[in-house]
């Protein structure tokens, strides 16, 4: 089965370097009582204070663009960092308002998170996002309806393929481009640790092997590689080195196209229509 995609300029593989800039929302949305735990919140603060600037520096040195999915709360409380992302020429996508996990039994909350987050992006940054990623990769039929209603180009919350595909609409409406990801290409399962939810912290060599082996086969297939990172995790010193090493590794293959998610979604939609 031929799964290759006709990417621009004859590229064999499209690569998206994506970053979920959750900051403190990652911890506040999981447990509101964390508002009284400054040690826990400091992990999210690190992502804004150190992680984002170091990631931007690394991307700038490599001459590649990334896509940052940013909750509205983060935009309001770390405006300078969000502005740094835009000044670097990177894309900002929608990532809810407070990083609350979507709830299929509470569609009104999905609508509130969508609209409040959109308002923050537009008011604070002047950004009308083309793409959306749901917190923790969870989504609902109501969220899909909201993405259609607000005219989004793409979603990046699903895992239904390796290559982009059309996101089914629950009511038969407009189908967005879906840019799928997978937990194996997300840094969180490997390094997201807290005292209340402990898990092993994997070495760079372990993560590198998973990420590189996945890339080699996706490149062989001729597909789409969607790497998901979080500034408070991949912004740590050794993880910045891993990001730098991954960019160099990927560049060692022929026919690689680094692009923002919106560029990839637009290119895939264009080749779909040929």
């Amino acid at each position: 089965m031929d799964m290759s995609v006709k990417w621009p300029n004859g590229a064999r593989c499209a690569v998206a370097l994506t970053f979920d800039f959750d900051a403190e929302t990652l911890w506040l949305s999981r447990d509101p009582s964390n508002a009284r735990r400054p040690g826990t919140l400091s992990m999210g603060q690190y992502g804004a204070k150190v992680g984002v600037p170091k990631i931007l520096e690394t991307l700038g040195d490599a001459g590649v663009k990334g896509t940052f999915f940013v909750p509205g709360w983060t935009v309001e409380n770390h405006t300078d960092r969000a502005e740094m992302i835009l000044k670097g020429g990177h894309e900002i996508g929608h990532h809810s308002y407070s990083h609350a996990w979507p709830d299929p039994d509470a569609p009104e909350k999905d609508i509130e998170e969508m609209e409040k987050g959109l308002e923050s992006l537009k008011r604070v940054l002047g950004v009308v996002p083309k793409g959306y990623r749901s917190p923790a990769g969870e989504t609902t039929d109501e969220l899909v309806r909201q993405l259609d209603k607000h005219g989004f180009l793409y979603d990046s919350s699903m895992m239904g393929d390796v290559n982009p595909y059309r996101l089914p609409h629950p009511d038969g409406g407009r189908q967005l481009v879906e840019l799928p990801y997978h937990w194996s290409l997300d840094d969180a399962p490997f390094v997201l640790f807290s005292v209340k939810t402990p898990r092993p912290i994997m070495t760079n060599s372990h993560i590198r092997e998973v990420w590189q082996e996945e890339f080699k086969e996706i490149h062989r297939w001729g597909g789409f590689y969607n790497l998901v990172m979080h500034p408070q995790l991949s912004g740590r010193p050794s993880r910045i080195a891993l990001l730098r090493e991954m960019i160099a590794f990927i560049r060692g293959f022929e026919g690689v196209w680094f692009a923002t998610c919106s560029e990839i979604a637009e290119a895939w939609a264009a080749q779909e229509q040929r």
Side-chain angles (χ1 to χ4, degrees):
M1 180 174 63
D2 183 9
M3 295 184 64
S4 61
V5 177
K6 293 181 175 61
W7 298 115
N9 301 315
R12 181 170 184 80
C13 182
V15 175
L17 301 178
T18 70
F19 305 88
D20 292 358
F21 180 19
D22 305 326
E24 294 97 318
T25 66
L26 179 64
W27 305 103
L28 293 169
S29 62
R30 287 184 167 201
D31 183 353
S33 72
N34 281 333
R36 296 181 282 109
R37 295 185 172 91
T40 298
L41 292 185
S42 69
M43 291 187 284
Q45 292 160 359
Y46 176 92
K49 181 180 179 181
V50 180
V52 166
K54 292 303 293 184
I55 287 169
L56 292 175
E57 177 184 283
T58 303
L59 297 178
D61 289 345
V64 297
K65 302 302 181 186
T67 300
F68 290 73
F69 294 96
V70 191
W73 186 97
T74 302
V75 167
E76 294 173 353
N77 289 274
H78 297 290
T79 304
D80 59 336
R81 294 309 192 235
E83 290 174 341
M84 284 178 66
I85 293 168
L86 291 177
K87 288 178 182 177
H90 306 284
E91 177 184 7
I92 285 184
H94 190 3
H95 196 41
S96 81
Y97 178 78
S98 68
H99 206 267
W101 291 7
D103 184 352
D105 295 324
E108 68 283 354
K109 292 183 179 179
D110 291 347
I111 295 172
E112 180 183 9
E113 284 281 311
M114 171 63 68
E115 295 187 344
K116 195 173 180 180
L118 276 176
E119 192 276 331
S120 295
L121 288 170
K122 294 176 183 177
R123 171 173 49 82
V124 179
L125 300 177
V127 167
V128 179
K130 293 183 178 181
Y132 175 83
R133 175 174 287 160
S134 61
E138 292 294 320
T139 192
T140 65
D141 285 348
E142 184 55 48
L143 260 179
V144 176
R145 294 186 185 99
Q146 289 298 309
L147 293 173
D148 181 13
K149 172 184 175 181
H150 291 285
F152 280 83
L153 166 67
Y154 72 88
D155 174 67
S156 185
S157 310
M158 305 287 190
M159 306 185 195
D161 205 325
V162 171
N163 288 330
Y165 61 97
R166 286 292 175 180
L167 177 63
H169 192 293
D171 307 320
R174 181 177 65 95
Q175 294 187 340
L176 280 70
V177 177
E178 179 63 36
L179 300 182
Y181 81 109
H182 189 264
W183 285 115
S184 62
L185 293 177
D186 188 316
D187 59 4
F190 300 105
V191 298
L192 181 61
F193 178 94
S194 72
V195 172
K196 295 183 70 174
T197 55
R199 67 176 70 172
I201 297 178
M202 300 299 176
T203 63
N204 273 10
S205 59
H206 179 94
I207 304 168
R208 185 187 302 112
E209 181 176 359
V210 174
W211 288 0
Q212 291 186 356
E213 290 301 314
E214 192 77 352
F215 174 78
K216 285 191 291 186
E217 194 64 11
I218 289 175
H219 180 271
R220 190 177 76 84
W221 288 12
F224 168 57
Y225 187 76
N226 189 357
L227 195 56
V228 181
M229 294 157 281
H230 298 74
Q232 61 188 282
L233 305 176
S234 286
R236 296 297 305 175
S238 68
R239 311 305 183 181
I240 286 290
L242 177 59
L243 171 59
R244 186 170 61 246
E245 292 163 6
M246 282 300 303
I247 294 172
F249 173 81
I250 291 169
R251 278 190 160 150
F253 291 74
E254 293 184 357
V256 173
W257 178 44
F258 285 93
T260 65
C261 284
S262 61
E263 290 171 336
I264 291 170
E266 288 166 353
W268 182 84
Q271 69 90 37
E272 179 194 35
Q273 297 166 3
R274 291 174 188 166

